[in-house]
Amino acid sequence: MRRRVLIVGEGRILYFLARAFRARKVEVAVLTPVARDAATLARRMDLLVVHGDPTQPRFLEEAGAGRSTDLVAAAEGDEDNLVVCQIAKKLFGVDRTIALVHDPDYVDVFRQLGVGAVISTTDLLARIVSDRTALEEFENLVPDADGSILVSDVVIGEGDFAAGRPLSELPLPSDCLVGGIVRGKGMVIPRGGSRLEVGDRAILLVTSESESAAIALLKTGPG
Amino acid sequence: MFIVVVGAGRLGLQIAESLTHAGHAVTLLDESRNALESLAGGFSGSRLEGDAAELEALKRSRMEEADVVVAVTEKDSLNLLVAQVARSVFGVPRVVARIYDPQTEEVYRHLDVDIVCPTSLSAQRILGILRDDPGASADQGD
């Protein structure tokens, strides 16, 4: 079945979502309870736009929920997004339902209640802001370094010089330190005798002047 | 029994008052302080101002301790959210929700929630009255 996305909700997000799906060659239809949004969309884009309360099954039907493979519920009310996704799935057999929620506490609850995917914009923004803070704190650890110390990572490939060699035998520049080795899902804190294996990610603390020399050494060896 | 009533419209107010008169402990939740204050003096339960669409507000109503939750806001979707959260998250043994749209009611009929649809109820009652009235039964065709 060809993909068809039904976007439900209100506001400018409808237009930009519709445009994004259109750019990916996916058929799009929109259902909105706001008359003005419906009129604007119908004027700006050539697609099926239905004006009606999306929590009432008859409007979902009119917007072609039965022919849709995906539904994105982006209404203002979390309760509307829950009910729209549930009705779309139960009554119209929509494969994949995605709900936006404002209250992050509902992410797990809505999933438990049968919504395919739940996205909390509040959560996303909060996480970005707090990650940013964490990053700034980290940068403060090297206040005198003038930004000249880098954290760089190198994936060790088949045939690389460093593969299988103990760290103590690698003539790395003196201003470079292997601070950690990411192996599978774990992290190894290296000692002199630790070996780098194929597939490892070596985390380097290195000055900007020596970064390329250090990477070249790990990849191709001295020379 | 401890009963949480969500929605202080006409129906919610009437249910909350009747239940307190019958001796039950009632908490009435609504986002409008005005609506909560319009309860007559006879109401001895607690009033809680909060948005029923926020999980935290439902938690504050001590819903997890309730024997019964009655979801009667003006919005079908909000009543469905509250009813499902009451059952699935808080494990409330008995949940009643009002749903205006008969088509929506049908979708959720399998749910472990008692659904009251005023539209269907009124239609049945009106048709019943017409059926009992010999003048109208001829037009009804049955």
Side-chain angles (χ1 to χ4, degrees), chain A residues 56-57 79-80 86 103 106, chain B residues 53 55 75 77 84 101 104 108:
Chain A
Q56 295 184 14
E79 65 276 20
D80 291 344
Q86 288 180 324
D103 184 348
Y106 281 135
Chain B
L55 190 62
K75 267 186 92 177
S77 56
Q84 293 182 82
D101 187 332
T104 307
Y108 287 92

Side-chain angles (χ1 to χ4, degrees), chain A residues 159-181:
Chain A
D160 283 357
F161 174 74
R165 288 180 200 268
L167 291 180
S168 55
E169 287 180 18
L170 298 174
L172 284 162
S174 58
D175 46 6
C176 173
L177 177 73
V178 179
I181 302 169

Side-chain angles (χ1 to χ4, degrees), chain B residues 43-124:
Chain B
F43 178 73
S44 55
S46 47
R47 303 156 210 239
L48 180 63
E49 192 183 332
D51 178 2
E54 183 192 349
L55 190 62
E56 192 57 38
L58 300 181
K59 270 187 197 151
R60 272 191 284 125
S61 75
R62 295 188 297 121
M63 201 170 258
E64 78 273 14
E65 298 162 34
D67 302 291
V68 179
V69 166
V70 180
V72 287
T73 72
E74 285 304 312
K75 267 186 92 177
D76 282 1
S77 56
L78 191 50
N79 294 339
L80 284 166
L81 169 69
V82 171
Q84 293 182 82
V85 167
R87 285 291 301 151
S88 310
V89 178
F90 298 118
V92 178
R94 187 110 204 248
V95 178
V96 187
R98 168 174 61 185
I99 306 296
Y100 283 111
D101 187 332
Q103 241 188 318
T104 307
E105 181 211 2
E106 231 165 275
V107 179
Y108 287 92
R109 195 173 283 162
H110 71 281
L111 218 64
D112 206 4
V113 168
D114 289 301
I115 293 182
V116 176
C117 179
T119 320
S120 305
L121 286 179
S122 309
Q124 281 161 25

